Amino acid sequence: MTTDLKPETAVILFAHGSRDPLWRLPIDAVALEMTRQWPHLSVACAFLELTAPDLPTTVEHLMMQGKTHLRIVPMFLGVGRHAREDLPKLVDDLVQAYPQMQFELLPSIGEHPAMTQLMAQIAAHAPAAHRPDKA
């Protein structure tokens, strides 16, 4: 399986963050799955608050690896204030701080039609092992 992303591109999975250290495990799992499917793709996670690393730290780390194009994927199901206001402001600040870099901010993952279809399939066809009424 291949991806159309060039070697100078990295993907940043951006999520809210939490005080609970287990909260980040699904985001880390997505990053690991991406790395499994596309071993040459550079993938990193970044968080808005309460969890490290933050977006500027992740950007600096990827820049030190020679990346010049950063695709930021908001891992939000709903499009609230963080996705509409906070993240675009953070990216604007990064564009100003690093004019040599190319930043690509994708829509929130929850807005993608494939995500809507997948969530509907999961809800309608949950395996018995995952149902709360099964011990």
Side-chain angles (χ1 to χ4, degrees):
M1 185 177 285
T2 61
T3 176
D4 61 348
L5 296 177
K6 297 178 179 164
E8 63 271 12
T9 300
V11 175
I12 299 173
L13 304 177
F14 182 81
H16 185 276
S18 171
R19 285 182 182 85
D20 182 347
L22 298 178
W23 177 91
R24 72 177 289 153
L25 294 180
I27 307 301
D28 290 338
V30 173
L32 285 171
E33 180 61 19
M34 290 178 72
T35 301
R36 186 190 69 74
Q37 289 188 36
W38 302 285
H40 300 293
L41 178 62
S42 183
V43 181
C45 298
F47 302 92
L48 179 64
E49 57 189 17
L50 306 172
T51 303
D54 62 11
L55 187 57
T57 301
T58 300
V59 166
E60 290 173 10
H61 178 74
L62 292 168
M63 286 174 54
M64 290 187 330
Q65 293 179 9
K67 302 302 176 183
T68 58
H69 177 206
L70 301 179
R71 174 180 282 182
I72 302 167
V73 182
M75 301 299 284
F76 298 119
L77 291 180
V79 183
R81 183 178 55 83
H82 291 314
R84 280 192 324 269
E85 299 172 16
D86 298 338
L87 180 54
K89 170 76 168 97
L90 278 171
V91 173
D92 285 345
D93 291 347
L94 290 166
V95 167
Q96 295 300 315
Y98 304 109
Q100 74 278 21
M101 298 291 293
Q102 180 183 1
F103 293 93
E104 177 186 8
L105 178 57
L106 271 54
S108 292
I109 198 85
E111 295 181 271
H112 196 288
M115 180 58 75
T116 302
Q117 292 170 1
L118 181 59
M119 288 189 293
Q121 290 173 8
I122 290 168
H125 302 289
H130 291 230
R131 292 186 188 143
D133 60 332
K134 304 288 181 187

